[in-house]
Amino acid sequence: MRMSNDTSGMGTGAGASDESGLQNSNAQQTNGNNNRKTPTRFFYDHPAVKNHGKGIALQDLVSFMESFNDYVMSRIKGVGADQYTKSTGQLFETFSAKETKDELLAELADAVAYINFIAIKVIALQIKETE
Protein backbone atom coordinates (compact mmCIF):
# COMPACT_ATOMS: atom_id res chain seq x y z
CA MET A 1 0.00 0.00 0.00
CA ARG A 2 3.02 2.29 -0.14
CA MET A 3 1.79 5.26 -2.00
CA SER A 4 4.96 6.90 -3.25
CA ASN A 5 8.71 6.73 -3.42
CA ASP A 6 8.81 10.52 -3.05
CA THR A 7 10.76 11.40 0.07
CA SER A 8 11.35 15.01 -0.83
CA GLY A 9 9.42 16.21 2.18
CA MET A 10 8.13 19.14 0.19
CA GLY A 11 4.45 18.23 -0.23
CA THR A 12 2.14 19.71 -2.80
CA GLY A 13 0.92 22.85 -1.12
CA ALA A 14 -1.02 24.12 1.86
CA GLY A 15 -3.26 21.41 3.20
CA ALA A 16 -2.74 19.18 0.18
CA SER A 17 -1.77 15.53 0.53
CA ASP A 18 0.98 14.08 -1.59
CA GLU A 19 0.97 10.46 -2.74
CA SER A 20 2.68 9.23 0.45
CA GLY A 21 -0.39 10.15 2.48
CA LEU A 22 1.33 13.01 4.22
CA GLN A 23 -0.11 16.46 4.45
CA ASN A 24 1.40 19.87 4.95
CA SER A 25 -0.33 21.33 7.97
CA ASN A 26 -1.88 24.77 7.46
CA ALA A 27 -0.94 25.70 11.04
CA GLN A 28 2.66 24.74 10.42
CA GLN A 29 2.74 26.73 7.21
CA THR A 30 1.34 29.74 9.04
CA ASN A 31 4.19 29.38 11.55
CA GLY A 32 6.70 29.39 8.71
CA ASN A 33 7.65 25.72 8.93
CA ASN A 34 6.26 24.35 5.69
CA ASN A 35 8.76 21.47 5.55
CA ARG A 36 7.11 19.57 8.43
CA LYS A 37 4.41 17.10 7.47
CA THR A 38 1.74 15.46 9.58
CA PRO A 39 0.16 12.05 9.07
CA THR A 40 -3.24 12.18 7.40
CA ARG A 41 -6.11 9.73 7.16
CA PHE A 42 -3.83 7.55 4.99
CA PHE A 43 -2.27 6.02 8.10
CA TYR A 44 -5.67 5.64 9.81
CA ASP A 45 -6.96 3.65 6.84
CA HIS A 46 -3.84 1.51 6.44
CA PRO A 47 -4.55 -2.26 6.70
CA ALA A 48 -1.91 -2.65 9.42
CA VAL A 49 -3.79 -0.16 11.59
CA LYS A 50 -7.25 -1.47 10.71
CA ASN A 51 -6.22 -5.08 11.41
CA HIS A 52 -4.45 -4.29 14.69
CA GLY A 53 -5.61 -6.83 17.24
CA LYS A 54 -7.07 -9.10 14.56
CA GLY A 55 -3.75 -10.20 13.06
CA ILE A 56 -1.59 -7.98 10.85
CA ALA A 57 -0.31 -9.65 7.70
CA LEU A 58 3.44 -9.42 7.16
CA GLN A 59 3.02 -7.55 3.85
CA ASP A 60 0.79 -4.98 5.58
CA LEU A 61 3.35 -4.51 8.36
CA VAL A 62 6.11 -3.98 5.79
CA SER A 63 3.91 -1.59 3.78
CA PHE A 64 3.14 0.44 6.91
CA MET A 65 6.84 0.59 7.77
CA GLU A 66 7.74 1.79 4.26
CA SER A 67 5.06 4.50 4.35
CA PHE A 68 5.93 5.59 7.87
CA ASN A 69 9.62 5.69 6.93
CA ASP A 70 8.69 8.06 4.09
CA TYR A 71 7.19 10.28 6.80
CA VAL A 72 10.40 9.96 8.85
CA MET A 73 12.52 10.97 5.85
CA SER A 74 10.30 14.00 5.20
CA ARG A 75 11.00 15.11 8.79
CA ILE A 76 14.74 14.58 8.36
CA LYS A 77 14.69 16.77 5.26
CA GLY A 78 12.55 19.38 7.02
CA VAL A 79 12.78 20.10 10.73
CA GLY A 80 15.73 17.70 11.18
CA ALA A 81 17.80 19.50 8.58
CA ASP A 82 17.07 22.80 10.30
CA GLN A 83 18.26 21.46 13.65
CA TYR A 84 21.08 19.02 12.82
CA THR A 85 22.69 19.94 9.51
CA LYS A 86 25.83 22.00 10.05
CA SER A 87 28.05 23.70 7.49
CA THR A 88 30.58 20.86 7.94
CA GLY A 89 28.05 18.01 7.75
CA GLN A 90 25.72 16.39 10.25
CA LEU A 91 25.85 17.06 13.98
CA PHE A 92 26.21 13.34 14.79
CA GLU A 93 29.51 13.31 12.91
CA THR A 94 31.08 15.33 15.72
CA PHE A 95 30.19 12.77 18.41
CA SER A 96 33.11 11.07 20.14
CA ALA A 97 33.74 7.34 20.06
CA LYS A 98 32.46 7.18 23.64
CA GLU A 99 29.20 8.75 22.52
CA THR A 100 28.86 6.33 19.64
CA LYS A 101 28.97 2.74 20.92
CA ASP A 102 29.52 -0.27 18.69
CA GLU A 103 26.15 -1.65 19.68
CA LEU A 104 24.33 1.49 18.56
CA LEU A 105 23.75 0.41 14.95
CA ALA A 106 22.06 -2.82 16.01
CA GLU A 107 20.01 -0.96 18.62
CA LEU A 108 18.94 1.66 16.07
CA ALA A 109 17.66 -1.05 13.75
CA ASP A 110 15.62 -2.53 16.60
CA ALA A 111 14.40 0.91 17.65
CA VAL A 112 13.11 1.72 14.15
CA ALA A 113 11.17 -1.54 14.05
CA TYR A 114 9.66 -0.98 17.50
CA ILE A 115 8.82 2.64 16.74
CA ASN A 116 6.82 1.47 13.72
CA PHE A 117 5.00 -1.08 15.90
CA ILE A 118 4.22 1.66 18.43
CA ALA A 119 3.01 3.98 15.67
CA ILE A 120 0.45 1.35 14.64
CA LYS A 121 -0.69 1.03 18.25
CA VAL A 122 -0.94 4.80 18.83
CA ILE A 123 -2.93 5.38 15.64
CA ALA A 124 -5.27 2.47 16.48
CA LEU A 125 -5.80 3.91 19.97
CA GLN A 126 -6.44 7.37 18.54
CA ILE A 127 -9.08 5.97 16.20
CA LYS A 128 -10.80 4.20 19.10
CA GLU A 129 -10.84 7.46 21.08
CA THR A 130 -12.61 9.30 18.25
CA GLU A 131 -15.26 6.63 17.71
Side-chain angles (χ1 to χ4, degrees):
M1 183 162 184
R2 186 176 185 180
M3 302 300 286
S4 173
N5 288 329
D6 173 30
T7 57
S8 67
M10 298 310 292
T12 57
S17 295
D18 66 12
E19 290 180 359
S20 67
L22 302 175
Q23 183 175 40
N24 284 329
S25 163
N26 288 333
Q28 289 164 340
Q29 290 203 0
T30 301
N31 293 332
N33 187 357
N34 61 4
N35 287 333
R36 185 181 296 167
K37 291 183 170 185
T38 57
T40 65
R41 189 87 187 151
F42 169 78
F43 288 123
Y44 289 27
D45 293 335
H46 195 283
V49 174
K50 287 188 162 200
N51 292 325
H52 174 266
K54 301 176 213 161
I56 300 171
L58 178 60
Q59 68 270 20
D60 291 338
L61 179 60
V62 170
S63 170
F64 180 90
M65 292 173 74
E66 289 173 336
S67 298
F68 200 83
N69 287 334
D70 285 344
Y71 172 59
V72 170
M73 287 185 284
S74 74
R75 292 189 48 77
I76 290 169
K77 291 179 177 186
V79 68
D82 295 341
Q83 295 175 355
Y84 301 109
T85 300
K86 305 300 177 194
S87 62
T88 58
Q90 300 300 312
L91 182 61
F92 75 86
E93 294 178 274
T94 65
F95 295 167
S96 70
K98 183 176 180 186
E99 294 169 313
T100 310
K101 304 290 182 188
D102 290 343
E103 300 292 326
L104 187 56
L105 289 176
E107 294 300 326
L108 287 173
D110 290 345
V112 168
Y114 284 108
I115 288 168
N116 278 281
F117 302 161
I118 292 167
I120 293 169
K121 185 70 170 183
V122 168
I123 293 168
L125 290 171
Q126 187 173 7
I127 291 170
K128 285 182 181 181
E129 288 178 2
T130 62
E131 291 178 350

